[in-house]
């Protein structure tokens, strides 16, 4: 097609094999769009194209419907995104409906023959690592290979403090669960392979919980999508180690000495409050010192 269709908050650039969606950075643009910046969507990633009246009077909406399993962002969102934050919606003034209808027809003609079938792999790239955000009970970070949860004294449950900071290589994970902070019990939870998942995210060291002002959609959802893409790309099948080619041991995670000192102080407060036994305090202190 080789044309450009400018709408409210975003512009679609039609290319031979894909549509490049560029999002505006204005103060009225949803923050998720601003964080995404732009997204390239191959036509093979789409299952349908819709054109309908907009929610606001005097607008129409051109929407590309992605195939199931084609986009890690929408898979992580699991239907929880508000309509106004749907990156596949292009809102246009009503007077451009004829033009929008033309592009809708062109897009439909570009859909793959198996558009109705789920995609066998991700066809749209997730937001790239590194990613990080602050949850209510800790800071989550992802460098592309390992997810780290570092607990906050003010929010983390005793169970999480006892478990200590957590590190999860993507090859040891099987899934990521995101529950929007805009609903009840918002959290991001990892599912390690073969591990039993606890009922409450607040008690699960493989999860961080959201709260008012913590883990906003525009930070936690791109994070979840980035981790999910890496988990799907990781090969869970490990080859048997041979005698002559043993795998290199993982590099230890080194911490800032000031950060370790602060966490030891927090452990001391838990111990003084009777929330940690002498043995638990001694063991956790030794673990923290080993990070130096």
């Amino acid at each position: 097609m080789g044309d450009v269709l400018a709408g409210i908050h975003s512009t679609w650039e039609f290319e031979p094999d894909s549509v490049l969606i560029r999002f505006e950075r204005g103060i009225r643009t949803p923050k998720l769009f601003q964080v995404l910046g732009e997204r390239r969507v191959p036509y093979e990633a789409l299952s349908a194209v819709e054109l309908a009246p907009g929610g606001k009077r005097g607008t129409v909406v051109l929407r590309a419907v992605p195939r199931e399993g084609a986009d890690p962002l929408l898979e992580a969102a699991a239907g929880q995104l508000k309509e106004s934050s749907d990156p596949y919606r292009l809102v246009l003034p009503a007077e451009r409906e004829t033009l929008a209808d033309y592009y809708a027809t062109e897009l439909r003609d570009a859909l793959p023959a198996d558009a109705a079938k789920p995609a066998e792999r991700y066809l749209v790239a997730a937001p790239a690592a590194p990613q990080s955000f602050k949850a209510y009970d800790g800071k989550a970070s992802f460098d592309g290979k390992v997810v780290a949860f570092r607990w906050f004294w003010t929010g983390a449950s005793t169970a999480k403090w006892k478990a200590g900071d957590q590190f999860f290589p993507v090859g040891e994970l099987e899934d990521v669960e995101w529950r929007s902070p805009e609903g009840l019990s918002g959290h991001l939870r990892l599912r390690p392979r073969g591990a039993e998942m606890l009922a409450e995210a607040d008690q699960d060291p493989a999860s961080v919980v959201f709260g008012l002002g913590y883990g906003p959609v525009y930070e936690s959802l791109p994070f979840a999508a980035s981790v999910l893409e890496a988990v799907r790309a990781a090969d869970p099948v490990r080859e048997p180690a041979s005698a002559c080619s043993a795998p290199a041991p993982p590099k230890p995670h080194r911490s800032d000495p000031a950060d370790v000192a602060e966490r030891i102080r927090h452990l001391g407060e838990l111990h003084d409050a009777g929330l940690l036994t002498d043995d638990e305090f001694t063991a956790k202190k030794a673990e923290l010192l080993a990070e130096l």
Side-chain angles (χ1 to χ4, degrees):
M1 287 174 262
D3 294 326
V4 175
L5 185 59
I8 301 171
H9 303 320
S10 61
T11 298
W12 290 12
E13 298 182 13
F14 300 96
E15 301 181 352
D17 60 352
S18 61
V19 56
L20 178 62
I21 303 175
R22 298 183 185 275
F23 299 103
E24 295 179 356
R25 297 187 178 276
I27 58 175
R28 294 185 178 182
T29 302
K31 288 186 177 180
L32 177 61
F33 292 176
Q34 297 183 45
V35 169
L36 294 176
E38 66 178 40
R39 308 195 81 208
R40 184 176 299 279
V41 181
Y43 298 137
E44 64 174 325
L46 302 178
S47 65
V49 181
E50 303 169 346
L51 181 63
K56 292 184 178 181
R57 184 177 180 181
T59 62
V60 294
V61 174
L62 176 63
R63 184 173 188 269
V65 182
R67 294 170 64 184
E68 180 183 346
D71 185 347
L73 186 79
L74 291 197
E75 184 169 342
Q80 300 172 80
L81 271 182
K82 291 182 176 179
E83 188 177 73
S84 60
S85 295
D86 182 351
Y88 287 88
R89 294 174 76 250
L90 180 65
V91 182
L92 300 155
E95 58 267 22
R96 308 194 72 185
E97 182 174 3
T98 301
L99 185 61
D101 184 60
Y102 164 77
Y103 282 108
T105 300
E106 292 290 298
L107 274 175
R108 292 186 188 106
D109 290 341
L111 296 181
D114 59 350
K117 297 180 179 179
E120 296 181 355
R121 59 185 176 85
Y122 289 141
L123 300 169
V124 182
Q131 296 278 337
S132 66
F133 69 91
K134 288 184 178 180
Y136 173 73
D137 54 357
K139 180 178 180 180
S141 59
F142 177 53
D143 63 5
K145 296 181 179 179
V146 177
V147 181
F149 293 159
R150 295 185 180 274
W151 308 121
F152 293 154
W153 160 247
T154 55
S157 64
T158 302
K160 290 182 177 179
W161 267 103
K162 287 184 176 181
D165 293 343
Q166 300 291 299
F167 302 92
F168 303 91
V170 294
E172 298 178 5
L173 299 174
E174 65 179 8
D175 205 358
V176 181
E177 178 184 82
W178 180 80
R179 291 291 177 265
S180 175
E182 296 175 343
L184 298 175
S185 303
H187 62 261
L188 182 137
R189 171 178 274 168
L190 306 176
R191 295 185 181 177
R193 296 184 184 278
E196 181 179 354
M197 189 172 67
L198 300 179
E200 298 294 333
D202 181 57
Q203 303 299 315
D204 187 354
S207 69
V208 289
V209 297
F210 306 146
L212 185 62
Y214 293 94
V217 171
Y218 63 88
E219 291 182 351
S220 60
L221 180 57
F223 184 104
S226 183
V227 175
L228 185 59
E229 181 182 60
V231 169
R232 293 288 188 268
D235 184 3
V237 179
R238 299 180 181 178
E239 296 295 333
S242 64
C244 60
S245 60
K251 294 182 180 179
H253 291 274
R254 301 231 177 242
S255 300
D256 184 340
D259 180 57
V260 170
E262 178 66 12
R263 285 187 281 159
I264 290 176
R265 183 181 70 80
H266 290 159
L267 283 174
E269 293 178 357
L270 287 172
H271 179 250
D272 293 341
L275 298 176
L276 291 177
T277 66
D278 291 344
D279 289 342
E280 288 173 335
F281 172 72
T282 301
K284 293 307 301 181
K285 181 179 178 181
E287 289 179 14
L288 290 172
L289 291 174
E291 294 184 15
L292 296 175

